[in-house]
Amino acid sequence: MTRQLVVYAAKGEVISPTLLRVTAGRSTTRESREIKRKDKGTHFAIRRLRFFMTKHYKKNGNKGYFVKVDVKKYFSNINHNVLKQKLEKLKIPSDILSLLHCIIDSYQHHLDSGLPMGNQTSQAFALLYLNDIDRMIKEVFQIKYYIRYMDDFIMIVNNKTLADTILEKTAGLLSAEQLTINPKSQVIPIKNGISFLGWTFTYGQNGVIVQKPKKTSKARIIEKAKDKIYLYNQNAISLEDLHSTYTSYKAHLQYGNSHNFSKSITKVFAAIA
């Protein structure tokens, strides 16, 4: 097994793209296909949500409901046997399939469950695992405005009865995949806005989408910025590394309505000792 994993690591540039390409072909939603593409993840998901909110507003104003679903400890609870069965249904070469099984078995949070976070293969596994639920929501429940990024689901529907029904049925679908819906999953009036991938989204004047970083996201960015500055002052990182962090935060904040917070970030970095 160890030798196989070494081979996988050496050929990761081949295996992960292969897996992503094959699972993309099985995806039933445009957002799922795009999210599998390199550098298309969170930013595409955010643009898609903004697009759906705009489309909904043109027909319904700020009347309607979000169905927000989150899976409890998703990566830790992905069942190995269920995942393997899903992979075996795909047109994956047998040698790569064998390695994928080996990768799955190499990590477990608890018995026969769990995937490591942060690598491309786990990302593909996580997207594939819920693909059947994507199909049910889009094709059976016929939810037009639906997006999923990993284990974060958002649906937009016109009335609360339908929203409550969809939330209940989605919980049942997750249970069938040996997963548990997070208690924080809920039905939210559209006029109240929604949080997604570190941002809050609300309607402004005439239905313009207002996108601002969440309070927790802002606190996390400030904390990490200060940590980087501390490391720089301790000569643990270079000025180039510090500047790279700064420009990365500034670029990220340009995606939303965050001018004032962006100025705050500049002031934090300007205070370098």
Side-chain angles (χ1 to χ4, degrees):
M1 180 179 294
T2 302
R3 182 182 177 186
Q4 284 182 309
L5 289 176
V6 170
V7 171
Y8 160 72
K11 295 184 177 180
E13 292 300 317
V14 174
I15 293 176
S16 289
T18 298
L19 177 60
L20 289 168
R21 184 174 63 252
V22 173
T23 55
R26 291 275 296 183
S27 297
T28 58
T29 64
R30 179 185 172 190
E31 50 269 26
S32 294
R33 291 193 296 272
E34 290 295 327
I35 286 169
K36 291 182 177 73
R37 295 171 57 190
K38 186 177 180 181
D39 299 328
K40 288 288 186 178
T42 57
H43 293 312
F44 178 85
I46 287 169
R47 290 196 302 271
R48 199 68 172 157
L49 175 59
R50 292 175 62 100
F51 174 75
F52 286 158
M53 288 180 66
T54 299
K55 294 278 285 186
H56 178 86
Y57 187 89
K58 289 179 178 179
K59 292 183 178 180
N60 306 283
N62 65 356
K63 297 179 181 179
Y65 294 85
F66 292 112
V67 181
K68 182 175 173 61
V69 177
D70 180 75
V71 182
K72 185 177 181 180
K73 297 181 179 178
Y74 180 47
F75 278 83
S76 297
N77 289 309
I78 289 178
N79 183 276
H80 289 184
N81 293 325
V82 173
L83 177 57
K84 288 177 184 177
Q85 290 171 7
K86 293 177 182 295
L87 286 168
E88 288 165 1
K89 296 178 182 179
L90 306 180
K91 296 180 180 179
I92 297 177
S94 59
D95 57 338
I96 293 181
L97 182 62
S98 178
L99 283 177
L100 293 176
H101 281 202
C102 183
I103 293 164
I104 293 168
D105 291 334
S106 69
Y107 178 92
Q108 56 183 359
H109 186 265
H110 47 263
L111 184 62
D112 292 331
S113 296
L115 294 176
M117 297 179 65
N119 63 63
Q120 193 178 32
T121 306
S122 290
Q123 180 187 45
F125 288 154
L127 287 162
L128 171 67
Y129 198 88
L130 295 176
N131 190 59
D132 290 339
I133 293 181
D134 291 337
R135 179 176 287 106
M136 289 292 293
I137 291 172
K138 293 288 288 186
E139 298 179 3
V140 179
F141 298 167
Q142 295 187 331
I143 302 302
K144 185 176 181 180
Y145 300 139
Y146 166 63
I147 180 135
R148 172 172 71 87
Y149 182 82
M150 297 302 172
D151 62 328
D152 289 326
F153 302 65
I154 291 181
M155 292 161 265
I156 301 176
V157 298
N158 292 335
N159 63 78
K160 192 171 186 302
T161 300
L162 176 59
D164 289 337
T165 300
I166 292 300
L167 181 61
E168 181 180 356
K169 288 186 176 181
T170 303
L173 293 173
L174 289 170
S175 179
E177 300 288 4
Q178 300 191 33
L179 296 169
T180 303
I181 193 169
N182 195 312
K184 68 181 182 181
S185 301
Q186 59 186 311
V187 171
I188 306 168
I190 282 182
K191 62 182 180 181
N192 293 354
I194 195 165
S195 62
F196 185 54
L197 300 178
W199 300 86
T200 61
F201 300 82
T202 56
Y203 288 122
Q205 188 175 7
N206 298 321
V208 173
I209 308 301
V210 179
Q211 176 184 336
K212 294 184 177 181
K214 293 172 59 178
K215 290 182 179 180
T216 54
S217 299
K218 291 193 288 187
R220 185 169 55 251
I221 289 173
I222 292 291
E223 181 181 359
K224 288 184 176 180
K226 290 181 176 179
D227 287 343
K228 285 289 187 178
I229 292 171
Y230 173 80
L231 291 174
Y232 171 73
N233 289 332
Q234 297 298 313
N235 296 317
I237 63 173
S238 68
L239 180 61
E240 182 180 356
D241 289 335
L242 186 63
H243 184 263
S244 177
T245 299
Y246 169 70
T247 55
S248 176
Y249 286 146
K250 295 288 283 187
H252 172 70
L253 293 172
Q254 288 178 356
Y255 283 92
N257 306 94
S258 47
H259 176 71
N260 290 338
F261 181 60
S262 184
K263 288 172 62 177
S264 298
I265 290 295
T266 298
K267 290 180 180 179
V268 169
F269 279 91
I272 297 174

